[in-house]
Amino acid sequence: MTDGFEFPVEVIKTSRRRSASIYLDGDGVKVRVPEGISDSYVRDLIARKSPWIKRKLREAELAAPPRPREFVSGETFSYLGKNYRLKVLNGDASSVRLRGGYLEASVSGSLGTKEEQIRSLLVDWYQRHARGRLQEKTSRYAKILQVKPRSVSVKDYKSRWGSCSAKGDISYNWRVVIAPHRIVDYVVVHELCHLLEHNHSPDYWHHVERVIPDFRERRQWLKQNSRQLEI
């Protein structure tokens, strides 16, 4: 009865129900319906609800906690939405560089554990590249919006992607450069628009939409994927 769907479905018929209900259960779906409901009705119900079901399954998958990092060769790290394999090398000096489609981490055996070294090196690499990229994007979008921030910096925020002070100082969470370019652009425009409206009023969102027409989609992506933007 439930063959042909893109997700596993379990149908439970019970005399204790007077109406149908659908809910997620792990990576599948359970449908509870009253006894006497025909199989064709159940199939039609699932078919009608399929877009909602698939969206909820995707959201649940994205909300799942990411696997702990091991910082070993072959592990994948993202930068501006593009994935790169980590290549761990032994060397006299510790460094990270992007080379030939790989993030090469050269580590020495004298400074703490290899895992600690590699994580520290990667954080430093991301922060340095975040400063350059975010300065560049801020300058470009500031001209479009005709605003001028007093300063631009990168910080290690835990629960926000950026900040704009009343004096015009803008700071960004360095982790945002793990996300695709279009998401970084949204964060930059979001903060710059606070130089026009230091609130989240309709006028503020009008300024954002003028530059990023699909800002709602990008904002939603950031909400759904925030736990993936970690190293």
Side-chain angles (χ1 to χ4, degrees):
M1 178 180 66
T2 56
D3 294 339
F5 292 104
E6 298 177 32
F7 39 80
V9 180
E10 179 183 356
V11 177
I12 303 166
K13 292 188 176 183
T14 172
S15 60
R16 291 179 292 178
R17 292 206 64 87
R18 300 180 62 182
S19 60
S21 65
I22 299 176
Y23 61 95
L24 304 188
D25 182 32
D27 59 354
V29 176
K30 285 189 176 180
V31 182
R32 291 185 179 271
V33 296
E35 286 183 346
I37 292 292
S38 68
D39 291 350
S40 61
Y41 175 89
V42 175
R43 284 194 63 83
D44 288 345
L45 173 66
I46 297 169
R48 289 199 309 272
K49 294 293 185 179
S50 282
W52 176 85
I53 292 169
K54 287 188 281 189
R55 186 174 75 250
K56 289 299 180 181
L57 287 171
R58 284 196 301 270
E59 290 175 1
E61 182 181 359
L62 291 170
R67 293 177 58 186
R69 292 289 192 181
E70 298 180 20
F71 301 99
V72 295
S73 289
E75 197 167 16
T76 300
F77 290 83
S78 294
Y79 173 58
L80 293 171
K82 186 175 180 180
N83 290 333
Y84 298 92
R85 295 283 186 183
L86 178 65
K87 183 184 289 186
V88 179
L89 307 171
N90 292 319
D92 296 329
S94 297
S95 63
V96 171
R97 63 177 176 174
L98 195 57
R99 181 182 181 186
Y102 287 87
L103 270 172
E104 290 187 349
S106 180
V107 297
S108 65
S110 59
L111 299 172
T113 68
K114 183 172 286 189
E115 181 180 318
E116 291 171 342
Q117 274 195 75
I118 295 169
R119 186 184 186 283
S120 178
L121 288 168
L122 284 169
V123 169
D124 180 69
W125 185 88
Y126 274 104
Q127 289 178 340
R128 284 188 288 107
H129 282 72
R131 290 187 191 97
R133 284 289 187 173
L134 290 165
Q135 287 274 4
E136 170 195 322
K137 287 179 180 290
T138 300
S139 177
R140 174 155 52 91
Y141 282 107
K143 291 177 182 176
I144 294 172
L145 288 161
Q146 298 184 336
V147 296
K148 189 172 182 180
R150 190 173 75 161
S151 68
V152 178
S153 62
V154 171
K155 295 188 177 181
D156 189 20
Y157 289 127
K158 299 300 181 186
S159 59
R160 60 168 63 180
W161 295 110
S163 176
C164 177
S165 74
K167 293 182 179 180
D169 299 302
I170 291 179
S171 54
Y172 300 105
N173 185 335
W174 62 266
R175 293 172 181 82
V176 75
V177 296
I178 299 173
H181 274 288
R182 65 189 189 91
I183 306 302
V184 183
D185 290 348
Y186 162 69
V187 172
V188 169
V189 170
H190 183 111
E191 299 308 330
L192 284 171
C193 284
H194 281 309
L195 297 174
L196 298 169
E197 296 282 342
H198 206 70
N199 51 48
H200 287 105
S201 65
D203 285 343
Y204 164 81
W205 289 114
H206 175 74
H207 290 304
V208 175
E209 189 170 25
R210 182 162 55 90
V211 182
I212 309 285
D214 64 341
F215 78 89
R216 293 175 183 84
E217 177 187 326
R218 303 190 197 194
R219 182 177 59 184
Q220 185 64 22
W221 188 99
L222 198 54
K223 288 179 180 178
Q224 292 180 347
N225 292 273
S226 60
R227 299 182 70 180
Q228 310 303 318
L229 305 184
E230 294 284 347
I231 66 167

